[in-house]
């Protein structure tokens, strides 16, 4: 599979005030604990913001810590998304739905997840609606 080219417009280091504001936005949006947020983005580490133009002209901001992408933001929507690397470090950042192994095969082929495919475990506090 071939990756389409992209163009990096700028790389800038975030100022302390911008970093605090960004951390507050991430904490509010994802309801992450202070400990997990500080482990992900320590106050002393520098955060680099890169403005990138995709092959079809969309622009996005990518937030890096030591060459590791943490979050990206689509500029037209102003929505911040975590990267896979961030989800590996903080697995509870986004909600997840347990499912059955046969359902995973269907999802891998592009099917939509429907409520009968979700495992409802009352001992974990998961409620069926």
């Amino acid at each position: 599979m071939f990756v389409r080219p992209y163009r990096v417009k700028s790389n800038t280091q975030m100022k302390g005030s911008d970093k605090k504001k960004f951390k507050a936005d991430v904490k509010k949006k994802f309801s992450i604990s202070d400990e997990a947020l500080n482990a992900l983005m320590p106050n002393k580490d520098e955060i680099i913001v890169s403005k990138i133009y995709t092959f079809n002209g969309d622009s996005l901001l990518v937030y890096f810590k030591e060459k590791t992408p943490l979050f990206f933001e689509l500029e037209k929507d102003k929505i911040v998304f975590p990267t896979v690397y961030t989800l590996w470090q903080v697995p509870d950042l986004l909600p997840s739905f347990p499912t059955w192994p046969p359902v995973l095969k269907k999802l891998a082929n592009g099917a939509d997840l429907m409520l009968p495919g979700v495992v409802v475990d009352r001992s974990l506090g998961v409620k069926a609606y």
Side-chain angles (χ1 to χ4, degrees):
M1 174 174 232
F2 297 99
V3 177
R4 303 255 180 148
Y6 62 90
R7 184 171 49 101
V8 177
K9 177 74 173 174
S10 65
N11 281 329
T12 58
Q13 182 177 349
M14 288 182 85
K15 295 183 215 172
S17 59
D18 292 336
K19 193 186 324 182
K20 284 182 185 178
K21 182 178 181 267
F22 180 68
K23 286 175 73 170
D25 290 344
V26 167
K27 182 176 177 168
K28 181 180 173 185
K29 178 174 172 93
F30 296 107
S31 61
I32 185 174
S33 68
D34 287 331
E35 296 82 24
L37 186 61
N38 287 332
L40 190 62
M41 292 186 291
N43 292 330
K44 302 276 184 188
D45 288 353
E46 64 179 29
I47 303 294
I48 305 294
V49 181
S50 293
K51 186 170 186 175
I52 295 175
Y53 288 104
T54 61
F55 67 96
N56 61 354
D58 293 336
S59 63
L60 58 113
L61 297 174
V62 181
Y63 298 90
F64 292 93
K65 178 188 87 169
E66 299 173 359
K67 297 183 182 181
T68 303
L70 298 175
F71 295 94
F72 63 95
E73 176 182 352
L74 301 173
E75 284 200 324
K76 65 179 178 181
D77 298 330
K78 300 292 182 190
I79 300 173
V80 177
F81 298 99
T83 63
V84 174
Y85 298 110
T86 303
L87 292 174
W88 282 340
Q89 293 177 355
V90 186
D92 296 332
L93 193 61
L94 294 177
S96 62
F97 298 102
T99 187
W100 305 102
V103 176
L104 286 176
K105 293 178 185 173
K106 303 285 186 188
L107 293 174
N109 288 331
D112 293 331
L113 178 63
M114 297 182 191
L115 190 56
V118 176
V119 176
V120 179
D121 187 0
R122 302 221 187 267
S123 67
L124 297 175
V126 179
K127 299 177 182 177
Y129 296 100

